Amino acid sequence: QTSLSIWGWGSLGLVLFLVTFGPFAIFYFAFYILCFVGGGFVVTLLFGKSNSEKYLEQCEHSFLPCTSVGIPKCIEEMKREARPIKIDRRLTGANIIDEPLQQVIQFSLRDYVQYWYYTLSDDESFLLEIRQALQYALVQFSARSKETDWQPYFTTRLVDDFGTHLRVFRKAQQRIAEKGDQMKDQAEELVDTFFEVEVEMEKEVCRDLVCTSPKDEEGFLRDLCEVLLYILLPPGDFQNKIMRYFVREILSRGILLPLINQLSDPDYINQYVIWMIRDSNCNYEAFMNIIKLSDNIGELEAVKDKASEELQYLRSLDTAGDDINTIKNQINSLLYVIKVCDSRIQRLQSGKEIDTVKLAANFGKLCTVPLDHILVDNVALQFFMDYMQQTGGQAHLFFWMTVEGYRVTAQQQLEVLQSRQKDGKHQTNQTKGLLRAAAFGVYEQYLSEKASPRVNIDDNLVAKLAETLNHEDPTPEIFDDIQRKVYELMLRDQRFYPSFKQNVLYVRMLAELDMLKDPSFRGSDDGEGESFNGSPTGSINLSLDDLSNVPSDETVQLHAYISDTGVCNDHGKTYALYAITVHRRNANSEEMWKTYRRYSDFHDFHMRITEQFENLANILKLPGKKTFNNMDREFLEKRKKDLNAYLQLLLNPEVMKASPALAHYVYDFLENKAYSKGKGDFARKMDTFVNPLRNSMRNVSNAVKSIPDSLAEGMTKMSDNMGKMSERLGQDIKQSFFKVPPLMQKTYSDPDHCRVAAPIDDNVDDNIPLRVMLLLMDEVFDLKERNQWLRRNIKNLLQQLIRATYGDTINRKIVDHVDWMTSPEQVADAVKRFRDAFWPNGILAETVPRRDKAIRMRTRVAGKTKLLEVMPDELKHIIGAETTRKGILRVFEMFQHSQLNKRMVYVFLERFLETLFPQNKFPELFNKLHSRSKQMQRYKQRLHSTQAPSLQKSLLVSHIRLLMHL
């Protein structure tokens, strides 16, 4: 009831209020209350402010001290106009270098500092201080460079570091090959294995973190730049942390890091390789060989896509007349490229790689290389030598080679003796005594009862030889009868040459001679034919596809005829070309293509098959050559008719049936590709220079290690001054022939884990070009894994070529070339190229977008093709086609990994700084900077685990000895 009464009276009062004052009275009442409260707040604020000011004024006069004069003075100094800083623009003392360097400094400050600094301040003093510090550092750097001898760096350390890098890569590849199919990511596995081998070889340093981690790489460059600033800047500037950090960041992240990334980019290196050999035209056969040898699916797919694109374009053309034949040939070539790519991709994806050596060995159609050709060819002889060592017949081979060397030197000395007798100089007894000592040495070493191993030959012949040596003057032909018997023994005995033809070494020899695919011997000295333009057509890997595609089925029918002929002009050389239309039919399909051949191709092919199949020489008659007027239309038509008759007779089923292996050779000749011949004109010219040297030094001077320096060198010098050299020659011959030389085994002078910077053997350190070439050939072509004879033969050949080309002034020329490379003109040119690359037309270059993967893959293919194409045929004739191909492709593959390229760039940079600052202990610094390497930590753990048992054992032995003593 009480609550109801309250609500009732309240409602009544509200109604009366509204009736009396109206509905807006509530708003007026609220407004009055708000004004009252606001007025009170304003009055209180004004009163408090006036009282506070009075109180603060009283406190200021009574408590606070006087204001300091430093602040007004500082403000006054800041308001003054800054004094201009004078900067000396001289840096190196050479105006041609200083001008581009100043532009580099200006562009660096503009693009890395000024664009953000001017948003903070207009004061120029800070920028001028940074510029002055940079210039001071460059002046100090220039002064150090002028005091440094750069010749050892460019001729020794640079080559050693590259050779070491290649050796580490080669050993990493060997380890991966041993692991087989256990790898998931071959590229990543290769990088990890590479740095494992590096730490085992370097012992104290590994650069895996710097090369694989961008964060660690930036930290390494910052630390390195800070050390350089400490060396180059004055102490006062170096202590200024703000300026030092700015300069450090500009050098490390603005200049060094982009430069290193570009130099280590595989695509950039591939483009640079192609640019360097841009004058060499791409060869179709070399390109196809690279496709058949490629083990990268990305490369094959990129080439296939491009070939399909070109094929689609050619098919869309609307042509008529003579262009139809040209386009058809191009279409056939592109279809063949696509077919090869598909076949190779399927084989790689299936993972069923075939042992091509066993395939070739079991194929049953290998060509036969005569023994007399093997004995005079460097590449073939090393394989036969390895086989003879395995079978225990090396004494027979060494005896034959030693007799060849004796005959050559004896003939030379007798000719010298005759010429001196005509001049009235008599040294007959002395010369004959030396020759007798040499002949007795050969007899004692190989034929006497004391010889070990002894050449087993007819005792009557040996006794007759001994009688001749005791009672007659030695002649160059004194060993001929026994040498013929030894040759017949090696030729007929089943242990030697006949078994060698069934051995895997024989197949590898054919691969090195480029003969697995081509059944003719191209290592002879007849000089006919041309080179194969740098492509390893006979390599083992290539022969897999070729052998598998041979039309061995009897149902395959092959028909060919010359459909057209014409005259071509290539770089000023005019020759006739014959278009051969080829049809191949079998039970399921039919193929047709065109190929083009010259008369010289027909002649080379005819010589090869008649040499291999002697019965064809009486059946096939090739049209003869004509020297003059051989481009007349009537003559070409007549030759076309004769060559057609030759082809029809060659493809006669009776002829093919009589020689089953002939089908493979004919198909190779008619295949749609460039025809590969033997040695070219340049090779024949080189042979006229090299062969006399090789024939005179091949046998004794290269086979038996102790003989070359005595017999060959001694005899040659004796021809110049017989009297002065007679005593020395006699001593050398005694040392050579009365001491049993070591058997020629494979050299193991290259340990598993060592740098190539160690002194190279064979006393070639004083000959700069010989040292460089021999070291690079050792590492690129892995010559130290071959027998010592081949390596010594290559060394002798290089010596003769260098001497014949430059004489004894070659070292002086190299020193002059290094001086030219470090001259002001060349340094200025390098600075300008750097400036134009980073700031083209004075504007900071934008980041180049990464090229499409397909383009990069095709660039790789083009680079490999170019490299194999420029390799001279003479190199293949010296060390073998297969070895040359593997070596070149190994070097190319090494540059396809950016992490490994960074490692090589950093090694070159470290050696550069060690050479420039020899007193600053940079090797120890780099060891500390790389000390956080994970590979280094693992290596130390493995080393500790392997050394701990031996250490415990030694401690136990020492304790036992101590107890026994007590």
Side-chain angles (χ1 to χ4, degrees):
Q1 291 179 355
T2 305
S3 61
L4 289 175
S5 61
I6 293 174
W7 281 103
W9 287 107
S11 299
L12 180 61
L14 179 63
V15 170
L16 294 175
F17 179 81
L18 293 175
V19 172
T20 305
F21 298 102
F24 294 100
I26 297 175
F27 298 101
Y28 295 148
F29 183 73
F31 178 73
Y32 295 152
I33 294 175
L34 181 63
C35 291
F36 176 79
V37 173
F41 178 77
V42 170
V43 171
T44 305
L45 180 64
L46 292 177
F47 178 78
K49 180 181 179 183
S50 60
N51 289 339
S52 298
E53 289 177 352
K54 294 179 181 179
Y55 180 76
L56 288 175
E57 185 177 358
Q58 294 175 359
C59 292
E60 180 181 359
H61 292 289
S62 59
F63 301 107
L64 296 178
C66 297
T67 305
S68 175
V69 297
I71 295 177
K73 185 176 181 181
C74 181
I75 296 175
E76 183 181 357
E77 290 289 338
M78 293 177 64
K79 291 181 179 179
R80 291 182 182 178
E81 184 177 359
R83 299 177 182 177
I85 301 177
K86 296 182 179 180
I87 298 179
D88 189 357
R89 301 182 65 85
R90 294 176 298 177
L91 299 175
T92 64
N95 293 330
I96 57 176
I97 302 177
D98 294 346
E99 182 179 353
L101 270 181
Q102 289 289 351
Q103 292 179 347
V104 170
I105 295 174
Q106 179 181 352
F107 294 154
S108 300
L109 293 177
R110 181 196 66 189
D111 296 326
Y112 293 114
V113 179
Q114 289 180 2
Y115 81 96
W116 59 264
Y117 177 74
Y118 283 140
T119 61
L120 303 178
S121 173
D122 296 332
D123 189 12
E124 298 282 348
S125 60
F126 177 72
L127 299 177
L128 294 177
E129 290 286 348
I130 292 181
R131 187 186 189 101
Q132 190 175 24
L134 287 173
Q135 293 194 173
Y136 184 85
L138 288 175
V139 170
Q140 297 298 318
F141 184 86
S142 174
R144 291 288 186 98
S145 301
K146 293 177 181 178
E147 298 172 358
T148 303
D149 181 15
W150 292 106
Q151 183 264 332
Y153 173 77
F154 286 105
T155 60
T156 301
R157 305 194 70 176
L158 206 63
V159 180
D160 289 339
D161 289 331
F162 178 79
T164 302
H165 187 83
L166 183 58
R167 176 178 296 181
V168 175
F169 180 77
R170 175 164 49 83
K171 291 185 178 297
Q173 280 188 325
Q174 292 174 356
R175 290 193 183 181
I176 288 180
E178 294 173 357
K179 295 179 181 180
D181 297 332
Q182 300 177 359
M183 301 171 303
K184 296 182 179 179
D185 189 346
Q186 187 172 1
E188 184 177 351
E189 182 73 15
L190 177 62
V191 173
D192 294 339
T193 308
F194 178 91
F195 288 110
E196 288 180 6
V197 179
E198 182 196 18
V199 71
E200 293 172 1
M201 183 174 294
E202 298 283 355
K203 305 295 184 184
E204 298 179 353
V205 65
C206 184
R207 303 169 181 84
D208 57 335
L209 282 182
V210 176
C211 300
T212 58
S213 173
K215 182 178 179 181
D216 291 300
E217 182 182 10
E218 292 179 4
F220 173 81
L221 289 177
R222 287 194 186 99
D223 294 339
L224 182 61
C225 290
E226 192 151 356
V227 172
L228 291 177
L229 293 177
Y230 173 78
I231 296 174
L232 298 175
L233 290 180
D237 292 340
F238 181 78
Q239 297 300 328
N240 188 343
K241 292 185 178 181
I242 297 178
M243 185 179 65
R244 185 175 82 223
Y245 291 161
F246 276 127
V247 176
R248 184 191 69 181
E249 292 299 317
I250 292 174
L251 291 177
S252 61
R253 301 197 59 182
I255 297 178
L256 287 181
L257 187 60
L259 181 62
I260 292 173
N261 288 335
Q262 184 178 15
L263 293 178
S264 58
D265 183 17
D267 188 52
Y268 172 80
I269 296 175
N270 296 338
Q271 295 180 64
Y272 188 72
V273 168
I274 296 174
W275 177 82
M276 287 181 63
I277 50 182
R278 59 190 179 278
D279 295 334
S280 173
N281 296 323
C282 286
N283 181 271
Y284 175 76
E285 185 181 1
F287 168 72
M288 290 307 304
N289 290 332
I290 290 298
I291 297 300
K292 293 179 181 181
L293 292 169
S294 176
D295 57 356
N296 189 306
I297 296 179
E299 293 179 1
L300 297 170
E301 291 179 344
V303 173
K304 176 186 173 183
D305 293 342
K306 189 64 177 179
S308 301
E309 180 182 341
E310 292 292 330
L311 182 63
Q312 185 177 4
Y313 169 74
L314 290 176
R315 286 175 172 173
S316 66
L317 294 178
D318 184 13
T319 57
D322 297 335
D323 294 338
I324 295 179
N325 294 329
T326 303
I327 292 177
K328 285 184 177 179
N329 292 331
Q330 294 177 356
I331 289 176
N332 290 334
S333 298
L334 290 173
L335 289 174
Y336 180 67
V337 170
I338 295 174
K339 180 180 178 181
V340 172
C341 290
D342 287 334
S343 175
R344 189 65 182 159
I345 289 173
Q346 291 177 3
R347 180 169 296 160
L348 292 174
Q349 289 177 343
S350 64
K352 297 180 180 179
E353 284 294 321
I354 305 173
D355 190 343
T356 54
V357 175
K358 294 182 179 179
L359 175 64
N362 298 328
F363 191 68
K365 296 182 180 180
L366 298 176
C367 60
T368 299
V369 182
L371 179 60
D372 55 345
H373 287 179
I374 291 177
L375 294 176
V376 298
D377 186 87
N378 289 332
V379 177
L381 183 57
Q382 61 172 315
F383 288 96
F384 187 59
M385 191 180 299
D386 289 341
Y387 176 77
M388 294 294 283
Q389 288 181 351
Q390 294 177 6
T391 59
Q394 66 271 24
H396 299 79
L397 179 59
F398 293 166
F399 171 77
W400 189 93
M401 297 169 63
T402 304
V403 171
E404 284 291 304
Y406 170 81
R407 181 187 297 111
V408 171
T409 53
Q411 290 175 352
Q412 292 177 352
Q413 293 311 306
L414 291 178
E415 291 175 0
V416 172
L417 179 62
Q418 292 176 2
S419 63
R420 290 181 176 274
Q421 285 178 347
K422 293 180 180 179
D423 297 337
K425 301 178 180 179
H426 300 283
Q427 291 181 341
T428 305
N429 295 332
Q430 191 176 20
T431 302
K432 291 183 178 180
L434 294 172
L435 293 178
R436 184 184 300 276
F440 267 107
V442 176
Y443 174 81
E444 292 290 338
Q445 184 173 347
Y446 295 104
L447 301 174
S448 66
E449 296 293 337
K450 301 178 181 179
S452 178
R454 184 175 182 269
V455 175
N456 296 322
I457 206 68
D458 189 0
D459 293 338
N460 294 329
L461 290 176
V462 176
K464 183 179 178 181
L465 174 65
E467 184 71 16
T468 304
L469 288 174
N470 291 326
H471 298 90
E472 296 180 12
D473 292 333
T475 62
E477 300 82 12
I478 193 171
F479 294 101
D480 284 2
D481 293 338
I482 299 180
Q483 187 187 30
R484 279 193 294 270
K485 289 293 183 181
V486 171
Y487 177 82
E488 293 177 0
L489 180 65
M490 292 190 296
L491 181 65
R492 309 293 181 190
D493 196 322
Q494 289 296 326
R495 297 174 299 167
F496 303 141
Y497 177 69
S499 298
F500 174 62
K501 292 190 296 182
Q502 307 300 324
N503 193 275
V504 68
L505 287 174
Y506 185 78
V507 181
R508 291 176 179 171
M509 181 195 73
L510 295 180
E512 294 291 357
L513 294 175
D514 202 11
M515 295 171 60
L516 270 184
K517 181 179 178 182
D518 190 350
S520 64
F521 178 70
R522 296 202 288 252
S524 61
D525 295 332
D526 54 6
E528 294 297 330
E530 297 178 358
S531 65
F532 58 92
N533 298 325
S535 59
T537 58
S539 62
I540 292 179
N541 292 331
L542 181 59
S543 66
L544 173 63
D545 295 322
D546 300 322
L547 293 175
S548 60
N549 292 331
V550 173
S552 58
D553 192 352
E554 294 182 357
T555 61
V556 175
Q557 297 180 2
L558 196 64
H559 301 280
Y561 64 93
I562 300 178
S563 57
D564 197 7
T565 183
V567 179
C568 296
N569 191 320
D570 185 12
H571 300 288
K573 295 182 179 181
T574 304
Y575 55 87
L577 201 62
Y578 300 92
I580 307 175
T581 302
V582 185
H583 294 266
R584 186 178 66 174
R585 299 186 183 92
N586 54 27
N588 300 323
S589 63
E590 179 180 353
E591 291 183 89
M592 185 191 75
W593 66 85
K594 276 191 177 183
T595 187
Y596 299 89
R597 296 289 180 259
R598 300 171 57 177
Y599 174 79
S600 60
D601 300 333
F602 278 94
H603 184 269
D604 182 83
F605 172 71
H606 178 75
M607 297 298 294
R608 293 176 180 181
I609 62 174
T610 54
E611 180 182 349
Q612 186 69 19
F613 308 96
E614 297 180 358
N615 60 322
L616 295 180
N618 299 324
I619 301 175
L620 298 175
K621 301 297 181 183
L622 188 70
K625 294 182 178 180
K626 184 178 180 182
T627 307
F628 302 102
N629 298 324
N630 54 6
M631 296 298 164
D632 294 342
R633 173 53 58 181
E634 296 181 359
F635 173 76
L636 293 179
E637 290 296 329
K638 181 179 181 301
R639 176 172 280 181
K640 170 186 172 183
K641 181 179 178 180
D642 295 338
L643 290 176
N644 255 327
Y646 176 85
L647 276 178
Q648 303 314 313
L649 183 58
L650 177 65
L651 297 175
N652 187 289
E654 297 297 331
V655 176
M656 301 291 287
K657 187 176 181 180
S659 303
L662 180 63
H664 171 68
Y665 310 146
V666 174
Y667 181 78
D668 178 65
F669 177 72
L670 297 177
E671 196 174 355
N672 183 19
K673 64 176 185 178
Y675 180 64
S676 59
K677 301 180 182 179
K679 296 181 181 179
D681 296 334
F682 181 71
R684 294 194 291 272
K685 295 177 183 177
M686 285 294 297
D687 286 341
T688 60
F689 168 74
V690 175
N691 283 341
L693 168 68
R694 186 173 61 188
N695 292 333
S696 62
M697 302 184 68
R698 176 190 297 118
N699 307 296
V700 179
S701 62
N702 292 334
V704 184
K705 187 175 181 180
S706 60
I707 291 178
D709 298 332
S710 59
L711 187 60
E713 180 181 355
M715 289 291 186
T716 303
K717 292 186 177 180
M718 190 176 70
S719 63
D720 299 330
N721 192 343
M722 181 70 74
K724 183 185 296 184
M725 296 299 297
S726 59
E727 181 179 357
R728 175 183 174 183
L729 182 61
Q731 296 175 356
D732 290 342
I733 290 177
K734 289 180 181 179
Q735 294 176 0
S736 300
F737 286 104
F738 294 115
K739 180 178 66 174
V740 178
L743 296 179
M744 287 186 299
Q745 301 176 354
K746 289 188 176 181
T747 176
Y748 294 97
S749 58
D750 178 14
D752 290 337
H753 308 297
C754 66
R755 291 178 54 87
V756 300
I760 196 169
D761 58 350
D762 294 328
N763 297 323
V764 297
D765 277 339
D766 56 340
N767 192 324
I768 295 175
L770 179 60
R771 181 188 185 279
V772 171
M773 287 191 290
L774 189 59
L775 188 147
L776 291 180
M777 291 188 72
D778 276 343
E779 298 305 325
V780 173
F781 303 110
D782 201 9
L783 294 184
K784 287 193 174 183
E785 297 296 329
R786 313 284 285 274
N787 56 40
Q788 182 75 357
W789 174 84
L790 175 65
R791 190 171 182 275
R792 292 184 62 81
N793 192 20
I794 293 175
K795 170 181 162 289
N796 291 333
L797 181 60
L798 290 176
Q799 282 179 324
Q800 294 296 327
L801 290 176
I802 292 172
R803 191 172 302 155
T805 306
Y806 295 102
D808 297 330
T809 62
I810 182 65
N811 282 4
R812 181 67 259 173
K813 292 181 180 296
I814 290 179
V815 173
D816 293 340
H817 184 72
V818 172
D819 293 339
W820 173 79
M821 290 173 58
T822 56
S823 63
E825 292 79 9
Q826 295 302 311
V827 174
D829 186 62
V831 175
K832 290 178 182 178
R833 289 199 300 267
F834 174 81
R835 177 200 61 191
D836 296 337
F838 274 76
W839 293 277
N841 299 322
I843 301 175
L844 182 64
E846 297 181 358
T847 302
V848 179
R850 188 174 178 82
R851 301 201 306 168
D852 183 67
K853 180 181 179 181
I855 298 178
R856 288 186 278 118
M857 291 295 104
R858 288 195 290 270
T859 305
R860 287 184 55 171
V861 174
K864 287 192 284 188
T865 304
K866 287 274 190 179
L867 279 178
L868 286 181
E869 195 174 274
V870 298
M871 285 298 104
D873 295 337
E874 288 68 36
L875 185 62
K876 302 179 180 69
H877 298 153
I878 294 173
I879 64 176
E882 186 73 4
T883 300
T884 302
R885 179 188 66 82
K886 287 184 177 179
I888 297 302
L889 293 183
R890 180 187 297 118
V891 175
F892 184 85
E893 181 65 24
M894 181 183 68
F895 287 111
Q896 304 312 306
H897 304 273
S898 60
Q899 298 96 331
L900 308 188
N901 295 337
K902 280 189 177 182
R903 187 261 178 194
M904 187 165 59
V905 172
Y906 280 117
V907 169
F908 289 162
L909 177 61
E910 291 172 10
R911 298 295 178 267
F912 175 82
L913 294 177
E914 291 173 11
T915 305
L916 188 62
F917 305 101
Q919 305 297 330
N920 294 102
K921 299 181 179 181
F922 265 97
E924 299 178 5
L925 173 65
F926 290 129
N927 290 344
K928 293 181 180 179
L929 292 178
H930 296 299
S931 60
R932 294 187 298 107
S933 166
K934 297 180 181 179
Q935 293 288 353
M936 177 63 68
Q937 295 174 2
R938 295 173 189 168
Y939 175 74
K940 289 182 178 180
Q941 291 176 358
R942 292 195 303 267
L943 190 64
H944 178 73
S945 62
T946 56
Q947 290 179 352
S950 60
L951 180 60
Q952 293 176 358
K953 183 178 179 180
S954 61
L955 290 175
L956 180 61
V957 171
S958 61
H959 290 166
I960 292 175
R961 289 178 179 176
L962 179 60
L963 292 174
M964 292 175 65
H965 177 70
L966 293 176

